[in-house]
Amino acid sequence: MGFPILSYLIFLPLLGFVAVMFLPKEKHDLIRWVSVFFSFIPCVLSIYLTWDYFFNYSHSAAFAYIEGPFTWIAPISAQYYLGVDGISVPMLLLTGLLSFLSVIVSFHIVKRVKEYFAFFLLLEAGMMGVFCALDFFLFYVFWEVMLVPMYFLIGVWGGPRKEYAAIKFFLYTLFGSIFMLVAILILYFTSTPHTLNIPELVNTVPGFLGRSLQMVCFVFFFVGFAIKVPVWPFHTWLPDAHVEAPTAVSVILAGVLLKMGTYGMLRISWPMFPEMVRYFSIPIALLGLIAIIYGALVSMAQKDLKKLVAYSSVSHMGYCMLALGAYSSVTAIAGCMFQMVSHGLITGALFMLVGVIYDRAHTREIAAFGGLGAKLPVYTGLMVLFSMASLGLPGMSGFISEFMIFVGSFFQFKVITGLAVLGVVLTAAYMLRMVQRIFLGEFNKEKWDHLTEINVREILMVAPLAVLTVAIGIFPGPLSNLMKATLENLVNLMAR
């Protein structure tokens, strides 16, 4: 097996969680730097993993860095089984990078510091596990492990309505998890011999599972994953969770957690139930269209800057659903993966920058500002850069992903794709309106003269995200080549 890099990615943050819990609670700086160490190593490992996978494994659709399957709970055939391919490697890189940056962004936390950083590391372990697991039992355990720390991170360190937002997030996600658990149990009891091995079930389910049960399992998995995306009408937990969560938690929520829904569909539902994907393709594309237009229109009406970014996530993830509806196009599915990575980078940075201005002004009300471009030129430049990336300006990663989705989906859904293009116009409208109202116009010197420019630490937090956003936008080839073989295999599985 060699160096078990996937286990290290999962268990180093878990080890960090245990280490932080044993530190004295008054040693705030020690807790912070120990947390940085235990998130920095997985970040470096995820970069190495991406580099090594690109040069040595990306030509093949087979899983790489396989660890297991090792018998874990023999009576139910649960196994410790890890492996990655072209759709999980980019997600692991995104998780490693955003988790490390979020830990540093959290340095200003002064309330119950030990518990905060411990929960953050536990959350990272769960996220890494979801993207590596190849056994349903293991996948479900990691999926649920994320729920508890996220509930406390919102509920304890959040804003004025934190309890409401945390409970709403918990109930929604738990509701989806129960549906997913029932589908897993159906697959387990109908397979002979009983198995929870995901790659094995992907290959065998279309052969042994009847059409009715396939439909039940597909719908149950879809509800579980759609809540996480979130797909309209399951999105209502997202704005509350984003607005009340601390900055770093919003970054992880938008950058990684939302991607788990679309990842679950690509890893499990789409290749395992190809007939059901074909049957439901138009409703799935329509749900994507509704999310694109609805999310953009609601963003336009927002007065709170963080809520605007939150609703823009509903709109941007709608593009992924449109691409997933066009299951037979490698270009559309590749566009979906590009959008998952791009949205993680851009929206993660936007939430960080919203946190920067909130720390100084203690308000996120768009109408309260004006003319900040003259007072904070560097902050303004960064905010405008990511706003342009979010609205899909050519040369940025957002443009590449949306263009690929439109091209890939058009031949399958001409009208739906044509209407979805309106989302680009609406996104440009609310983003430019936000930039105009906050950064242009007359500066209120009496009210905002005390505001200070973004500092070096904060610039360093968003700099990697800016570099990757522009790099993917100008030179998308490496990311495309990283996923190409896996996505072609995925489309072949869906064509069965």
Side-chain angles (χ1 to χ4, degrees):
M1 182 171 68
F3 180 66
I5 189 168
L6 303 183
S7 294
Y8 275 93
L9 281 173
I10 297 167
F11 290 106
L12 273 172
L14 200 60
L15 188 63
F17 162 75
V18 176
V20 167
M21 288 304 285
F22 277 101
L23 292 175
K25 65 180 181 183
E26 66 277 5
K27 300 278 187 186
H28 289 183
D29 283 341
L30 180 63
I31 291 167
R32 291 182 181 117
W33 285 108
V34 167
S35 303
V36 167
F37 174 78
F38 280 104
S39 61
F40 176 68
I41 302 298
C43 179
V44 172
L45 287 176
S46 67
I47 294 170
Y48 168 77
L49 179 83
T50 308
W51 179 270
D52 193 50
Y53 183 88
F54 180 78
F55 286 106
N56 297 315
Y57 301 99
S58 59
H59 61 279
S60 165
F63 286 103
Y65 310 98
I66 296 288
E67 297 174 24
F70 303 114
T71 301
W72 179 20
I73 307 173
I76 58 168
S77 307
Q79 299 170 319
Y80 182 79
Y81 188 21
L82 306 177
V84 294
D85 61 4
I87 61 170
S88 31
V89 169
M91 292 297 103
L92 287 171
L93 177 63
L94 197 63
T95 307
L97 178 63
L98 289 180
S99 298
F100 170 60
L101 296 177
S102 298
V103 167
I104 299 180
V105 165
S106 304
F107 266 37
H108 68 284
I109 295 287
V110 292
K111 174 186 173 185
R112 301 179 71 172
V113 174
K114 183 166 93 166
E115 290 88 344
Y116 177 88
F117 283 97
F119 279 133
F120 216 102
L121 290 166
L122 182 60
L123 179 65
E124 183 179 358
M127 294 187 294
M128 290 289 191
V130 165
F131 293 127
C132 294
L134 294 181
D135 180 273
F136 264 128
F137 191 85
L138 200 57
F139 181 87
Y140 191 79
V141 167
F142 286 130
W143 188 276
E144 293 301 294
V145 160
M146 294 180 307
L147 190 57
V148 175
M150 185 53 88
Y151 169 78
F152 284 111
L153 285 168
I154 298 172
V156 177
W157 291 272
R161 296 171 69 240
K162 56 194 177 189
E163 290 91 355
Y164 170 76
I167 290 172
K168 196 172 180 181
F169 163 79
F170 191 90
L171 289 178
Y172 260 84
T173 313
L174 189 66
F175 180 75
S177 300
I178 290 169
F179 273 84
M180 189 162 71
L181 180 62
V182 173
I184 292 172
L185 289 173
I186 291 173
L187 291 174
Y188 175 75
F189 284 116
T190 51
S191 57
T192 310
H194 301 324
T195 181
L196 294 163
N197 186 308
I198 293 175
E200 190 180 324
L201 286 168
V202 164
N203 289 323
T204 57
V205 159
F208 76 78
L209 198 64
R211 192 172 188 278
S212 303
L213 278 181
Q214 280 196 42
M215 185 170 288
V216 170
C217 289
F218 180 82
V219 171
F220 280 17
F221 272 124
F222 185 81
V223 171
F225 295 139
I227 288 173
K228 211 75 161 185
V229 172
V231 175
W232 181 90
F234 303 115
H235 67 284
T236 60
W237 64 268
L238 179 73
D240 290 312
H242 268 313
V243 170
E244 300 305 324
T247 298
V249 179
S250 289
V251 171
I252 290 297
L253 203 54
V256 183
L257 254 70
L258 305 192
K259 312 300 173 300
M260 289 184 176
T262 42
Y263 174 80
M265 292 176 189
L266 282 172
R267 168 66 65 227
I268 297 167
S269 303
W270 264 234
M272 198 175 284
F273 308 103
E275 191 182 346
M276 294 304 111
V277 175
R278 287 192 285 277
Y279 185 77
F280 287 109
S281 65
I282 293 177
I284 290 166
L286 280 173
L287 285 175
L289 174 65
I290 293 170
I292 292 168
I293 303 297
Y294 168 82
L297 288 174
V298 179
S299 295
M300 203 174 284
Q302 294 310 311
K303 297 174 181 174
D304 184 306
L305 182 56
K306 201 172 183 185
K307 217 164 182 175
L308 181 149
V309 180
Y311 272 108
S312 78
S313 293
V314 175
S315 180
H316 283 115
M317 293 308 289
Y319 292 107
C320 290
M321 295 310 298
L322 173 62
L324 287 168
Y327 61 92
S328 61
S329 166
V330 175
T331 308
I333 301 297
C336 173
M337 282 300 301
F338 264 81
Q339 180 73 344
M340 287 159 69
V341 174
S342 172
H343 179 263
L345 298 172
I346 296 168
T347 310
L350 282 173
F351 276 121
M352 285 184 193
L353 292 171
V354 171
V356 167
I357 197 69
Y358 183 74
D359 287 344
R360 288 156 173 75
H362 304 295
T363 180
R364 298 185 298 256
E365 193 180 348
I366 295 171
F369 299 104
L372 288 189
K375 176 70 178 175
L376 313 173
V378 179
Y379 176 79
T380 303
L382 288 167
M383 196 70 181
V384 170
L385 173 81
F386 285 108
S387 298
M388 295 300 113
S390 182
L391 64 83
L393 192 75
M396 308 282 192
S397 59
F399 172 75
I400 297 291
S401 52
E402 287 171 14
F403 192 82
M404 291 173 78
I405 289 170
F406 291 144
V407 170
S409 307
F410 183 74
F411 293 104
Q412 203 155 333
F413 310 114
K414 288 186 174 59
V415 176
I416 295 175
T417 307
L419 292 171
V421 176
L422 287 174
V424 177
V425 180
L426 293 172
T427 306
Y430 68 74
M431 277 296 177
L432 292 175
R433 178 171 162 271
M434 180 271 288
V435 168
Q436 183 262 324
R437 295 184 70 180
I438 293 181
F439 301 107
L440 304 178
E442 192 176 344
F443 176 62
N444 187 338
K445 189 171 181 181
E446 190 179 333
K447 190 174 182 183
W448 299 123
D449 199 40
H450 68 282
L451 291 183
T452 54
E453 182 59 283
I454 185 170
N455 61 39
V456 174
R457 179 181 67 87
E458 291 161 340
I459 291 174
L460 289 176
M461 292 306 94
V462 294
L465 306 182
V467 169
L468 286 171
T469 299
V470 176
I472 293 173
I474 294 174
F475 195 44
L479 181 57
S480 179
N481 292 337
L482 184 81
M483 304 182 294
K484 189 179 175 187
T486 302
L487 295 181
E488 285 174 351
N489 180 56
L490 206 56
V491 170
N492 288 335
L493 287 171
M494 289 187 268
R496 286 180 292 174

